[in-house]
Amino acid sequence: HGEYLGHCCHRCRCTCGESHGPACDGEEAPVDASHASAALHAYFPANSSLDRLQKGRSWRTRDPQEAAAVLQDCGFVVLQGALSRSAARRVRRDCRRISGAVNRRDPQRDGNRGSGRYSFSSLTVPGNLFHMASWSQCLVDNPEILDVMEHIFGPPRVDGQPAYVAYEAGGDFCLGNVAQFQALHSDWSSATEQAFMSGEDEQANPIARWSPPPLVCVNYCVQPLTRWNGAMRIVPWREMMRHGHLPCVSWEAEAHPQWLAAKVFPQQIGDALLRDVRVWHGGTPNLSGDARYLPSAMFMSRDAFDYLFDASARHVPLIPKIIFDSLSLRAQRLCVDSIAGDTDEVTAHVDDPWLRPQCVWAEAPSWETCRAQWSVMASPDVARAVTMVQREEHRSKRVADLTSVNRMCT
């Protein structure tokens, strides 16, 4: 029957549909179909390139002690089953509530982390989501994650204080049908690869070289993450050390295509991605019709906290007392520097998204250039492949859930 999206079918329609690729429809595909399939497969591979970059070392576990060891060795780890289904539903419901309020403010989808991408904490007046009960009660006060943190940061200090603090509740979300890769970046700007290799920043900012990590971010999976719907990509420590500077995304597509494919997937509802914030990471295209949410909690070592903030600046009222009182004693000890009083403004905004007046970009900042984003649609073959799918499925805006896309990459 000829070539169909790069697959040669020699048997009957019924059989080849099951075991030899997509079923034929009796018509030959366009001559460029195989190129479209190959291009789409390069950016949305069936298996993450992390498996190759990690050279066989597993980056998934259910054991807190093993998770701490993998994170310190590789810069990231996935702790499976960290969040219950009911907690994930609760958090996802609040994610949707916040994104709905943002969408009404930003119908053009300008975003605040690139087109269609938003940082939760940058959207809110306090720059944090401790005032949302689901974040504090489910993401900060999470026994499985706190077990990992204790293996990373160690037991309480001699003064009785925990060796780490709950630093931030936030995360990000990416709307559906976003075609851009976000540039690789580190959430700790001075933690460059040059600093690690040469020590050039050690006196100016010794935290860049600290071990254990100064700050760990835990991104919770509240919906399945696949190759299609915008899973985060990460460059592991060893790979990061081998290169001299952060590349722009368009150059990365030429020189390091395996980094574009280093997505942390598949993940199931309840899994948690823990990462040292110094590690390079970035967003990937979300070709689904639905927003992808990655709510998070951040935990900072007490040594880094004391180094960065003098005593007068350590107390910031972020957690309404009614939420603080609902936390376990273990979690309360991590949040004592963030308790809000009855007269603090945040107390009047419990479970309120409380968006900033200007929570999106009216105009992209100067760094929002080709270095910051690169559209997968810049590849004519990918654009052609997606157009073919959208033409085939013209009644739906969804892409990621459709079998036609999967057939292209089978």
Side-chain angles (χ1 to χ4, degrees):
H1 297 300
E3 186 184 66
Y4 181 87
L5 293 177
H7 297 275
C8 190
C9 302
H10 301 290
R11 301 187 183 183
C12 70
R13 180 173 182 174
C14 179
T15 303
C16 70
E18 293 183 0
S19 58
H20 292 278
C24 305
D25 59 6
E27 298 180 1
E28 290 191 1
V31 293
D32 59 1
S34 60
H35 298 293
S37 175
L40 203 60
H41 191 280
Y43 300 117
F44 302 94
N47 298 297
S48 173
S49 66
L50 283 172
D51 296 327
R52 296 194 305 276
L53 295 175
Q54 288 290 87
K55 301 188 184 304
R57 172 150 194 186
S58 175
W59 43 272
R60 298 181 180 93
T61 183
R62 291 184 178 272
D63 180 70
Q65 187 171 2
E66 183 183 5
V70 173
L71 183 139
Q72 296 204 64
D73 183 53
C74 304
F76 76 101
V77 68
V78 170
L79 184 69
Q80 297 173 304
L83 193 65
S84 70
R85 285 261 174 177
S86 59
R89 282 195 299 270
R90 182 183 173 195
V91 176
R92 184 171 64 248
R93 187 165 54 245
D94 280 340
C95 288
R96 286 173 174 165
R97 190 155 61 92
I98 294 172
S99 67
V102 172
N103 290 344
R104 289 189 290 274
R105 293 269 196 95
D106 183 27
Q108 294 81 22
R109 298 162 48 107
D110 290 330
N112 64 18
R113 287 297 181 272
S115 298
R117 299 183 187 277
Y118 303 82
S119 162
F120 278 118
S121 57
S122 297
L123 294 169
T124 65
V125 172
N128 222 308
L129 288 172
F130 282 130
H131 66 288
M132 299 292 291
S134 60
W135 259 262
S136 289
Q137 294 169 352
C138 301
L139 308 188
V140 175
D141 194 0
N142 184 293
E144 287 75 15
I145 293 300
L146 297 186
D147 286 346
V148 180
M149 294 303 123
E150 290 187 3
H151 285 296
I152 293 172
F153 296 115
R157 304 193 312 183
V158 293
D159 60 5
Q161 291 183 318
Y164 63 104
V165 300
Y167 179 70
E168 183 179 299
D172 74 272
F173 65 96
C174 177
L175 299 178
N177 296 316
V178 168
Q180 288 81 19
F181 278 96
Q182 185 188 39
L184 289 171
H185 58 281
S186 169
D187 290 341
W188 203 285
S189 58
S190 61
T192 62
E193 66 287 353
Q194 294 98 326
F196 282 105
M197 292 188 291
S198 68
E200 64 182 27
D201 290 344
E202 189 165 4
Q203 286 189 337
N205 192 346
I207 297 179
R209 294 173 57 84
W210 276 4
S211 181
L215 185 62
V216 173
C217 181
V218 184
N219 287 107
Y220 291 88
C221 187
V222 296
Q223 65 206 105
L225 291 182
T226 71
R227 56 175 161 167
W228 303 112
N229 65 347
M232 185 185 298
R233 62 196 180 101
I234 280 184
V235 178
W237 275 137
R238 286 182 176 82
E239 186 76 2
M240 175 178 164
M241 298 284 193
R242 294 172 51 210
H243 301 277
H245 58 84
L246 279 164
C248 66
V249 192
S250 55
W251 181 78
E252 186 184 346
E254 297 292 330
H256 301 289
Q258 72 276 18
W259 291 358
L260 295 177
K263 302 176 185 179
V264 187
F265 86 95
Q267 290 189 68
Q268 304 304 316
I269 294 174
D271 290 350
L273 167 61
L274 290 78
R275 57 183 173 86
D276 183 330
V277 299
R278 298 172 296 186
V279 157
W280 294 351
H281 61 284
T284 65
N286 177 6
L287 293 190
S288 78
D290 297 322
R292 184 275 296 147
Y293 303 107
L294 275 177
S296 72
M298 285 189 178
F299 301 91
M300 181 178 283
S301 76
R302 173 63 69 169
D303 289 340
F305 188 73
D306 290 347
Y307 176 86
L308 290 170
F309 306 102
D310 60 39
S312 63
R314 287 176 194 160
H315 180 78
V316 180
L318 295 169
I319 304 180
K321 193 171 187 303
I322 190 172
I323 294 179
F324 178 85
D325 289 343
S326 71
L327 304 181
S328 68
L329 181 60
R330 185 184 191 187
Q332 287 180 352
R333 288 173 175 159
L334 305 176
C335 302
V336 292
D337 294 300
S338 302
I339 307 173
D342 292 340
T343 59
D344 288 311
E345 190 176 8
V346 71
T347 300
H349 292 276
V350 173
D351 282 340
D352 176 3
W354 198 14
L355 299 182
R356 296 178 179 180
Q358 181 61 50
C359 60
V360 298
W361 291 332
E363 183 177 339
S366 59
W367 58 266
E368 181 57 23
T369 62
C370 61
R371 175 182 171 82
Q373 289 195 118
W374 178 73
S375 175
V376 71
M377 296 302 189
S379 164
D381 287 328
V382 172
R384 189 176 299 115
V386 173
T387 299
M388 291 165 62
V389 173
Q390 290 176 331
R391 185 181 300 125
E392 180 179 341
E393 305 289 347
H394 61 88
R395 292 175 297 176
S396 173
K397 291 183 179 180
R398 295 174 182 272
V399 174
D401 301 327
L402 301 179
T403 56
S404 49
V405 180
N406 283 290
R407 289 206 303 268
M408 287 187 181
C409 290
T410 299

